[in-house]
Amino acid sequence: MNKIFRNGLLMLAAGALVVSCADYNDLGGFKADPDPSFVEPYKNLAPVKSYLNSEKYPNMSLGTMIKVADFNKQERPHAAAMTNFHSVAFGTDLMSGKIVNEKGIMNFLDMMDLLKHAEEINANIYGSPIVANANQADAWLKYLTSPIEIPVDYVEGKSVNFNEMETGAYTDGEGKTASIVNYDNQNALKINSNTSVRIIEGFDVDPLAKYTITFYAKADKDATFNVVFSGKKVDGTVDGKWQIKKGNWNKVVVESQSAEDATEGYLRIENTRTTHVYIQKVQVGYYPDNHRPQTDVEKSDTIKYALNTWCDAFMKYNEGRIKVFDLIDEPIDSKATLGNGMYDLKHAAEDNIFWQDILGSENYAPAVSKVASEAYEKYQGDPTQLKFFISEKDLDDSKKLESLMYWINIWTAKGAKIDGINAKLNLSYSEDADIQAANEATVVTFLENLAATGKLIRLSNFDIKYVDAEGASVTAATITDAQRQKLADYYAFVIKSYMNKIPNAQQAGICKGNMADTADPVGLWSIDSESKDWVRTATYKAFCDALSGE
C-alpha cells in the first residue's frame, strides 16, 4: 500500500475546491493517525461532504453511524466521520436500554461527554429513537409494572402428631418406609439410618407461597440429615445439612417455597448417616403470595411515569443540542392485519412490555410526541428546530409503507408531531443482471412512493452487500477491484435516485451504516489486513461523484 502524506494544499482535478491536510484531518486538536485521507489510489479526493452542492440541495445531509465509544475516543473513526459527513448518529447507544438500569438509575456520562465535544466542534447529531419495542429499558419497565405487595395473613395448614398414631410400619406416598415406635414415653416416627421418608404430605402447594414447616426431632447421637420440601432441597446451617444435638427434643423450622413444577406438598427427611432420627409433631403453615397484579389504571399510570421520567432526564442532559430524533422505531407488524387490511402495530408477547400496549395504539405516538416535545422545550430546546421521524424497515413493501402512513395519519390527527420517515435500507448488489435490474427498479419505485407521502425522507443503514450470480455473498476479504467498482456504481445509483426522486423540500438525507468494511465490503474505506489502516475504496469516489452530480 502506497501512503502519501502531504503538508501543502491539495488541488482537485474536479474543480477549484482546495483542501489542506490540516483542514481535512485536524478538528480542534485531534487527528487520525495514520491519516486515512491521503492514501493511494484516491488520495486526490476531498472530504465526501464537500462535493454536495448545498445551494442546489439545501436540505440534503450526509450522515454516518458511529459508536459512542468511538466518537468519544476522538481517533480515526471520529476523524473520518467529522471530516466526511454532515452529521452522526449513534444507533441504539443513546436509547434507554443502554442508559437505564433495572431500578431506574440512569447513566448519562458517555452522552454528556459526546454532547460537550459535539458542541465544541459544531457537530450535528441525529438522535436515537425516543421509544421502541427493542433496546428499551425492559428490566426497568418490568420492575415498575411488577405486582404490588399487599399484607397477607399466615395460614395454618396440615399437621401430623405421631404420638396419636399406633405403633407399626409407616409407608409414605412414594412407597418409602419407616416405623412408628414408642420412644421417650410417647409414640414417634423412627427414621432409620440411610433412609429417606416423607414426614408430612398430602397438601396442595402454591409455588409463589412461602411455607413454614415446624417439627420436633431427637436422636441418641448428634445427627445430620437433608431436607427436601416439595421437590426443592432446603439447605441447613451446617455444610448445607440440618443438624440436631443428641439428648433433647430439637425444634426444627424449615422455610421454603416449593419447586416450580411441584404438584403436591410434602417434606422429606433424607437420613444418610448411621444415627436413627425420631420425629414428632409436624406442622405446615404458609404465607400466601403477597403480591397482586397492577390494575390497568395503575399500569397505565406507571408507564406514563416511566415515559415522563425517561424523556425529562434525557432532554435535561441534551439541553436542546440534539434537535432531530426518531420518535418511534419499527412500530409496524407485517404479520398482523387489521380489519381494513392495514398492518397492525407490534404487540408484546408473553411478559414483555410494549409502550403501545399500555398507552393504546392510536395514542402511542401522540403521547410520546407530547412528552418528548415538552421535555425538549423545558430544557432550552428551540421548538422551531425540533423534528421527529418514524423509523421503519422493509418499506419497499408498498403495503407496509401504506400501513405506516395509515398509522401516521391517525397519530397526527390526534396531535402527534411527525415530520418525516426514516426508511431503513436493506440493499444488495447482484451479479445476476435480471435480479440487479429488478433491484434498481425497486429502489426507484420505493423512492417515488416515499416522496408521495409528503413527509421528510431520510434513508438510513445505507450499506450495500455484494452477491454473486449464484446468490452467494462476496466478502470484503475476497471482493475484486472489478466487483468493488460495480458495487460503487450501485451506491452512486441509489444516491442519484434519491436526489432526483425526493423533492428538495423533502430531502432529509442519507445515513451510511458503516464507514469502513465489516465482513462485507460495505465501506467507503477498506481496512488493510496487516497494518489495519483505512484505505479509500471505489465507493468513496462514487459518493463524491454522485453528490457532485457526475
Side-chain angles (χ1 to χ4, degrees):
M1 182 177 62
N2 182 19
K3 299 182 187 177
I4 301 177
F5 296 92
R6 302 184 178 186
N7 294 319
L9 294 180
L10 174 62
M11 296 297 297
L12 297 182
L17 182 59
V18 186
V19 180
S20 74
C21 180
D23 288 339
Y24 186 98
N25 192 43
D26 189 345
L27 295 171
F30 65 84
K31 293 185 178 182
D33 185 22
D35 185 347
S37 310
F38 300 98
V39 178
E40 295 286 11
Y42 301 109
K43 66 181 184 298
N44 290 329
L45 294 174
V48 176
K49 66 183 180 183
S50 66
Y51 288 87
L52 180 66
N53 186 335
S54 58
E55 292 184 359
K56 185 175 181 181
Y57 302 99
N59 299 312
M60 175 72 175
S61 171
L62 186 64
T64 186
M65 293 283 294
I66 185 172
K67 294 180 179 178
V68 168
D70 286 337
F71 185 85
N72 285 343
K73 285 178 183 176
Q74 299 183 26
E75 295 176 350
R76 184 175 353 200
H78 172 275
M82 299 316 304
T83 53
N84 287 282
F85 300 89
H86 299 104
S87 65
V88 290
F90 296 100
T92 63
D93 284 359
L94 298 184
M95 294 179 69
S96 63
K98 296 289 182 68
I99 292 174
V100 188
N101 75 5
E102 64 179 2
K103 294 299 178 64
I105 298 173
M106 304 184 185
N107 183 354
F108 288 98
L109 293 178
D110 289 341
M111 186 178 113
M112 291 168 65
D113 287 344
L114 77 86
L115 287 175
K116 179 181 178 182
H117 177 59
E119 193 170 33
E120 290 171 348
I121 62 174
N122 198 30
N124 294 314
I125 297 173
Y126 187 91
S128 299
I130 302 294
V131 296
N133 303 315
N135 302 299
Q136 294 296 283
D138 292 325
W140 180 47
L141 297 181
K142 288 180 180 179
Y143 172 76
L144 288 175
T145 56
S146 61
I148 296 172
E149 290 190 5
I150 57 175
V152 294
D153 295 326
Y154 183 77
V155 178
E156 296 286 350
K158 186 173 183 178
S159 64
V160 174
N161 188 344
F162 291 106
N163 188 43
E164 297 175 351
M165 298 183 184
E166 295 182 359
T167 59
Y170 173 87
T171 303
D172 69 11
E174 292 182 311
K176 303 297 178 59
T177 60
S179 57
I180 299 174
V181 301
N182 187 270
Y183 176 76
D184 196 24
N185 298 318
Q186 60 183 315
N187 289 351
L189 180 66
K190 178 183 178 182
I191 303 176
N192 294 327
S193 60
N194 298 313
T195 298
S196 298
V197 68
R198 297 177 178 183
I199 64 173
I200 191 169
E201 61 185 348
F203 54 92
D204 294 331
V205 287
D206 179 348
L208 297 178
K210 184 176 182 180
Y211 288 80
T212 301
I213 307 92
T214 303
F215 61 91
Y216 292 84
K218 187 175 181 180
D220 295 328
K221 298 178 182 179
D222 288 354
T224 58
F225 48 84
N226 293 323
V227 169
V228 176
F229 176 70
S230 296
K232 184 175 184 179
K233 184 178 180 295
V234 186
D235 286 340
T237 58
V238 181
D239 297 329
K241 295 182 179 294
W242 294 79
Q243 184 181 73
I244 59 172
K245 295 296 184 180
K246 66 179 181 180
N248 296 313
W249 285 98
N250 295 260
K251 182 180 180 180
V252 181
V253 179
V254 177
E255 293 184 334
S256 179
Q257 289 177 288
S258 65
E260 290 185 5
D261 57 352
T263 57
E264 59 176 329
Y266 64 85
L267 187 133
R268 183 172 64 236
I269 298 293
E270 297 177 346
N271 182 23
T272 60
R273 303 301 177 92
T274 57
T275 302
H276 304 317
V277 176
Y278 299 87
I279 305 296
Q280 182 56 276
K281 294 180 181 178
V282 187
Q283 173 71 48
V284 174
Y286 64 96
Y287 282 99
D289 179 22
N290 64 333
H291 298 84
R292 66 160 177 80
Q294 292 188 27
T295 65
D296 290 344
V297 172
E298 289 170 337
K299 191 171 287 188
S300 176
D301 289 343
T302 299
I303 288 297
K304 289 175 182 177
Y305 159 82
L307 179 62
N308 278 276
T309 301
W310 162 241
C311 290
D312 188 82
F314 186 95
M315 294 304 181
K316 176 181 179 180
Y317 290 103
N318 180 44
E319 295 179 326
R321 289 173 286 194
I322 303 175
K323 302 174 176 62
V324 184
F325 297 86
D326 281 338
L327 183 70
I328 296 172
D329 183 49
E330 298 186 13
I332 304 299
D333 185 355
S334 58
K335 297 180 180 179
T337 306
L338 300 171
N340 59 6
M342 296 294 102
Y343 289 137
D344 195 3
L345 301 185
K346 293 176 181 175
H347 295 284
E350 299 177 352
D351 62 343
N352 291 330
I353 297 170
F354 284 5
W355 302 94
Q356 59 270 34
D357 291 338
I358 310 298
L359 299 172
S361 295
E362 295 191 358
N363 197 45
Y364 180 27
V368 178
S369 170
K370 181 177 185 296
V371 171
S373 298
E374 289 176 351
Y376 175 82
E377 293 182 41
K378 177 180 176 182
Y379 296 107
Q380 305 176 38
D382 182 351
T384 64
Q385 297 183 5
L386 178 63
K387 288 183 173 59
F388 286 141
F389 286 67
I390 304 295
S391 56
E392 187 55 87
K393 63 182 180 180
D394 301 330
L395 292 179
D396 53 327
D397 176 348
S398 59
K399 181 177 177 180
K400 191 165 188 180
L401 177 57
E402 184 183 3
S403 298
L404 177 61
M405 285 308 301
Y406 165 78
W407 284 106
I408 287 177
N409 290 335
I410 287 176
W411 292 334
T412 54
K414 287 181 170 288
K417 175 180 173 58
I418 300 175
D419 300 282
I421 297 172
N422 179 20
K424 297 181 177 181
L425 302 178
N426 181 22
L427 302 177
S428 295
Y429 173 87
S430 175
E431 287 184 344
D432 184 300
D434 291 338
I435 294 176
Q436 183 54 25
N439 288 343
E440 294 177 8
T442 296
V443 166
V444 171
T445 301
F446 165 59
L447 292 171
E448 289 174 345
N449 290 341
L450 285 173
T453 67
K455 294 292 184 181
L456 293 173
I457 302 300
R458 179 178 188 262
L459 305 183
S460 61
N461 193 37
F462 187 35
D463 287 350
I464 304 178
K465 297 180 180 180
Y466 193 101
V467 179
D468 66 20
E470 285 70 43
S473 294
V474 176
T475 67
T478 60
I479 193 169
T480 65
D481 289 345
Q483 289 173 322
R484 181 79 80 165
Q485 186 59 57
K486 293 177 182 178
L487 182 61
D489 292 342
Y490 189 34
Y491 271 107
F493 171 83
V494 176
I495 295 170
K496 291 177 181 178
S497 297
Y498 174 87
M499 296 170 74
N500 291 330
K501 296 296 181 181
I502 305 299
N504 281 6
Q506 291 177 250
Q507 291 179 3
I510 299 175
C511 183
K512 191 75 179 70
N514 288 278
M515 292 184 286
D517 284 349
T518 59
D520 296 303
V522 295
L524 278 71
W525 291 267
S526 63
I527 301 177
D528 186 85
S529 59
E530 295 181 1
S531 68
K532 305 303 180 184
D533 289 348
W534 286 25
V535 183
R536 287 172 174 174
T537 69
T539 300
Y540 187 104
K541 184 175 187 302
F543 266 66
C544 298
D545 291 344
L547 290 170
S548 65
E550 293 185 8

